């Protein structure tokens, strides 16, 4: 949903970052000089086993935090006198991040759709391969909600196949609210569903 770009830019604008000549790229775990050189920002080391499943061990240099120690020294101020390093932010859930960054409307606009589709419990730094199929679909839906809010260009056709499978009633209500937002933005939806309440 592009939230991490906004977070990295916020860290780069902090006084301590400017003193150290850190850019938004410094706070990326995918590239740049701020990530841990030992695990290249993944937080773990991959050990190939000859006859067993591969093993993933927490990085001994960064202790799974993905960044160099000096990068983690930069802390973003938050509400109530709290502060957080970039690794602390990646450990926050969507709900926690919405509270911590309540004064950053651009970030709230990107995170709110995650909460709208019922993914407010996910950690910001959670790897996508660890998501279930339903979570991955809702993540894509949240991305389209962000895109629709920014561009106001409707006209896409969305096809959902059994989107409520395995969802709690409250999550189904959130999903239907997201569908309404897509419709209000001018998109069309085809939903294959057996849940009579959803069909109604």
């Amino acid at each position: 949903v592009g939230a991490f770009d906004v977070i990295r830019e916020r860290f780069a604008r902090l006084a301590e970052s400017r003193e150290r000549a850190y850019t938004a790229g410094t706070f990326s775990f995918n590239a740049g000089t701020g990530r841990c050189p030992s695990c290249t920002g993944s937080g773990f080391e991959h050990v190939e086993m000859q006859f067993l499943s591969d093993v993933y061990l927490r990085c001994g240099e960064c202790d799974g935090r993905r960044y160099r120690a000096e990068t983690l020294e930069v802390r973003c101020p938050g509400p109530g006198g709290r502060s957080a390093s970039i690794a602390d932010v990646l450990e926050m859930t969507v709900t926690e991040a919405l509270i911590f960054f309540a004064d950053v409307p651009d970030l709230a606009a990107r995170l709110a759709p995650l909460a709208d589709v019922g993914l407010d419990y996910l950690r910001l730094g959670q790897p996508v391969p660890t998501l279930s199929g339903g979570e991955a679909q809702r993540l894509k839906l949240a991305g389209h909600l962000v895109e629709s809010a920014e561009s106001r260009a409707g006209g896409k056709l969305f096809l959902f196949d059994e989107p409520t499978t395995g969802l709690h009633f409250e999550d189904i209500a959130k999903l239907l609210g997201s569908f309404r937002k897509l419709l209000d933005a001018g998109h069309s939806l085809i939903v294959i569903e057996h849940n009579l309440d959803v069909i109604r």
Side-chain angles (χ1 to χ4, degrees), residues 58-114:
R58 184 181 296 264
C59 176
E61 189 168 328
C62 69
D63 193 31
R65 295 180 54 88
R66 298 180 172 189
Y67 293 93
R68 295 176 182 264
E70 54 269 21
T71 307
L72 296 175
E73 291 171 359
V74 178
R75 301 187 67 82
C76 184
R82 289 180 48 209
S83 66
S85 70
I86 190 72
D88 296 333
V89 170
L90 289 175
E91 286 299 314
M92 291 179 184
T93 64
V94 170
T95 300
E96 292 167 341
L98 282 167
I99 294 167
F100 189 84
F101 293 105
D103 62 333
V104 187
D106 190 31
L107 184 56
R110 292 173 181 274
L111 290 177
L114 291 171

Side-chain angles (χ1 to χ4, degrees), residues 6-39:
V6 178
I7 292 169
R8 291 186 303 112
E9 288 167 11
R10 182 160 175 92
F11 269 87
R13 286 194 304 268
L14 295 172
E16 190 171 1
S17 294
R18 290 197 309 267
E19 288 171 12
R20 297 179 181 201
Y22 287 176
T23 64
T26 307
F27 297 98
S28 172
F29 56 79
N30 291 319
T33 58
R35 68 181 181 171
C36 172
S38 180
C39 66

Side-chain angles (χ1 to χ4, degrees), residues 108-138:
R110 292 173 181 274
L111 290 177
L114 291 171
D116 291 345
V117 297
L119 295 177
D120 49 344
Y121 60 89
L122 291 182
R123 289 181 297 110
L124 296 186
Q126 187 165 338
V128 172
T130 65
L131 300 177
S132 71
E135 288 171 333
Q137 283 185 356
R138 288 186 283 155

